Amino acid sequence: MSRPVYLTEAEHRQVSYAVGAAELQTSGEIVTVLADRSDGYSDIALAWSALVAFTAIMFLALFPDFYLGLLDSVTGNWNAEWSAGTIFAIAGAFGIVKFLGSWLIQMWQPLKFLLVPGPVKSRRVRARAVDLFKVGAERRTHGRTGVLIYLSMREHRAEIVADEAIADKVSPETWGDAMSAMISCVRDGRIADGMVEAVHEVGKVLSEHFPRAEDDQNELPDRLIEL
């Protein structure tokens, strides 16, 4: 399955320019990442499929006469005598069909992500953002002043992760304006504008606590990373 492309080359340049402009006022380094999703959630799809299968078997156990009568109608039997072994085989086959059907239905991505509980999405988006930060920004600047702005489209969630020098001076709540500005634009379909607004707000915070020094050098790429 091919990954959707959310931004044009011009919009990529727009975000990169915003990062460069923000960093002219601060020694901090801003990294921007736009992801289609933060996880495949196969385990959640598996759990839903198993739940549907077990529920179907339970209903068969609670209402055997109804389901066996239905099976008689389909097969054309008249009051067939079902052995215990046959009933168990029917229950197993019924569960397998329900499991596979539920799994296949969840191949439709909008439904799959709709069925993922909100707290699970939040935790995995956060975990993915932290992983990317560790790889791409953490401790890669001289003063440990890197910040990652991460937007995950399928989950409709965003994260801002800061290096330890920034975290020591800036509380997580401080990034609220940046998150709010970004989400507001993204909801309107203006993804690039949302990233630009977030970069602008993060840049203002960084310039206050980490003003740019005369000998400051650009240590991380300004370009937006789209995954």
Side-chain angles (χ1 to χ4, degrees), residues 4-184:
V5 177
Y6 291 99
L7 299 181
T8 64
E9 290 186 9
E11 288 172 323
H12 272 263
R13 290 194 296 270
Q14 179 185 354
V15 177
S16 298
Y17 177 80
V19 172
E23 291 180 351
L24 290 176
Q25 308 300 320
T26 176
S27 60
E29 295 285 337
I30 302 172
V31 177
T32 53
V33 178
L34 172 65
D36 175 51
R37 66 192 68 195
S38 295
D39 191 79
Y41 301 100
S42 296
D43 58 328
I44 304 299
L46 180 65
W48 277 115
S49 298
L51 178 62
V52 169
F54 283 128
T55 301
I57 293 173
M58 182 61 66
F59 270 94
L60 181 61
L62 291 173
F63 308 103
D65 292 340
F66 172 78
Y67 286 103
L68 292 177
L70 189 62
L71 186 59
D72 282 341
S73 298
V74 172
T75 58
N77 292 327
W78 287 69
N79 297 321
E81 293 292 332
W82 301 98
S83 66
T86 301
I87 292 174
F88 278 120
I90 292 172
F94 191 50
I96 291 172
V97 169
K98 288 293 186 179
F99 180 91
L100 293 177
S102 300
W103 180 269
L104 289 174
I105 288 173
Q106 291 179 85
M107 296 296 287
W108 186 49
Q109 296 301 302
L111 176 62
K112 182 178 184 179
F113 278 84
L114 180 65
L115 292 176
V116 178
V120 174
K121 291 179 183 177
S122 297
R123 285 195 298 270
R124 297 199 183 176
V125 168
R126 177 66 182 178
R128 180 61 172 160
V130 170
D131 286 344
L132 290 172
F133 176 74
K134 289 179 178 179
V135 172
E138 186 178 35
R139 301 185 180 183
R140 294 188 60 186
T141 60
H142 177 70
R144 295 183 180 178
T145 54
V147 176
L148 172 71
I149 300 173
Y150 178 72
L151 179 61
S152 193
M153 296 301 296
R154 293 277 187 177
E155 291 90 348
H156 299 167
R157 281 163 172 76
E159 289 285 344
I160 295 177
V161 186
D163 220 329
E164 57 185 285
I166 298 174
D168 288 342
K169 294 185 177 182
V170 181
S171 67
E173 292 77 17
T174 306
W175 308 119
D177 288 343
M179 294 285 285
S180 208
M182 175 164 54
I183 297 302
S184 177

Side-chain angles (χ1 to χ4, degrees), residues 206-218:
L206 292 178
S207 64
E208 178 183 348
H209 294 280
F210 301 92
R212 184 180 177 90
E214 292 184 1
D215 60 346
D216 185 77
Q217 296 182 354
N218 191 14

